[in-house]
Amino acid sequence: MSYILNIETATKNCSVALAKEGKTILCKEIAEEGYSHAERLHVFIEEIIKEVGITFQDLIAIAVSQGPGSYTGLRIGVSAAKGFCFALDIPLIAVDTLQILASQATISSGLIIPMLDARRMEVYSAIFSSNLKKTRSVQAEIITENSFEELQETLYFVGDCAEKCKTVLTKENFIFLDEIKYPSAKEMSVISFEKYQKNETVDVAYFEPYYLKDFMITTSKK
């Protein structure tokens, strides 16, 4: 059987899902302010393997959320994924965190804009079509009242920074899907299985999470 373990730790949500042939069969996750990933991740993994009734040797690959996101969260997830891949001699699959987030939105037309909170009015964002094709690459940007004004389509925003972005993104074609806040490992199942079938894997030894550079905006002391 084609079992893939999916790990998502890029945000406050510590999420693990086991998928069979691209379908999630069990997911465990928790979103806490204190970032309990280090304590929760391996517990979730062991519980899932036990509850499904398989062994680690039944896994054909490990998939991990590659970022952008929390530096610490990404390091914990990637380190765990690499450890399992080395121990089990199976491939590592990297999945775009913003694609995972965008996958939770189901729309018939318009664009999906997943955004993850960086700090102040800064976000990590990308743009996806209604069929989840990326139309603009991942960027680190500062949100202003002029952001996305060139887009005439209906824009659906998802992510953990809706509260602060709503204060400036007020145009009529801007819709916030408040219920979609964090990326989840259960949304990785289809993506990771497709990547596995296409042999789109990464080098276990050299793979690093996708960190975007910190914003370097300063003000004069004068």
Side-chain angles (χ1 to χ4, degrees):
M1 294 295 182
S2 300
Y3 291 103
I4 295 179
L5 187 70
N6 298 283
I7 298 173
E8 215 308 313
T9 56
T11 66
K12 293 176 182 177
N13 193 31
C14 180
S15 181
V16 180
L18 183 68
K20 178 181 177 182
E21 305 292 334
K23 295 182 179 180
T24 300
I25 55 178
L26 184 59
C27 177
K28 289 180 178 286
E29 58 188 357
I30 187 170
E32 294 180 319
E33 290 296 326
Y35 280 94
S36 59
H37 301 31
E39 295 79 19
R40 301 277 190 174
L41 180 58
H42 285 278
V43 173
F44 284 169
I45 293 172
E46 291 176 3
E47 287 179 347
I48 284 176
I49 294 298
K50 182 178 180 179
E51 289 179 28
V52 174
I54 65 171
T55 67
F56 284 101
Q57 285 67 34
D58 291 316
L59 299 175
I60 60 170
I62 304 291
V64 67
S65 178
Q66 70 180 19
S70 159
Y71 179 88
T72 301
L74 288 169
R75 294 301 301 179
I76 291 172
V78 170
S79 295
K82 283 186 171 187
F84 283 114
C85 288
F86 274 123
L88 300 170
D89 193 26
I90 55 178
L92 176 64
I93 299 167
V95 182
D96 182 344
T97 301
L98 291 176
Q99 182 182 3
I100 299 168
L101 181 57
S103 297
Q104 297 182 62
T106 301
I107 61 174
S108 58
S109 62
L111 298 172
I112 304 168
I113 302 183
M115 297 192 299
L116 291 178
D117 196 12
R119 57 183 182 181
R120 296 188 290 274
M121 292 306 294
E122 302 157 356
V123 304
Y124 303 128
S125 68
I127 301 177
F128 291 83
S129 65
S130 58
N131 60 355
L132 295 176
K133 299 297 182 182
K134 186 182 289 185
T135 62
R136 198 209 71 189
S137 60
V138 178
Q139 293 182 10
E141 60 185 313
I142 297 174
I143 298 299
T144 71
E145 61 183 9
N146 299 318
S147 297
F148 311 110
E149 65 178 1
E150 73 281 4
L151 301 173
Q152 302 304 311
E153 301 95 329
T154 300
L155 307 184
Y156 295 88
F157 294 93
V158 296
D160 63 356
C161 49
E163 185 174 347
K164 72 177 184 182
C165 290
K166 281 181 179 180
T167 61
V168 292
L169 298 178
T170 59
K171 293 181 173 59
E172 291 185 357
N173 61 318
F174 293 174
I175 297 175
F176 285 85
L177 303 179
D178 295 328
E179 69 277 11
I180 303 175
K181 192 171 184 179
Y182 300 117
S184 171
K186 63 179 177 288
E187 304 299 333
M188 296 172 63
S189 300
V190 172
I191 304 170
S192 60
F193 188 58
E194 289 178 351
K195 282 179 171 285
Y196 178 81
Q197 290 179 310
K198 296 176 182 178
N199 199 32
E200 294 180 6
T201 60
V202 296
D203 190 301
V204 178
Y206 295 102
F207 173 73
E208 290 291 331
Y210 179 43
Y211 302 122
L212 291 181
K213 292 183 178 179
D214 290 338
F215 292 84
M216 299 298 291
I217 298 176
T218 60
T219 57
S220 173
K221 295 181 180 179
K222 294 182 179 180

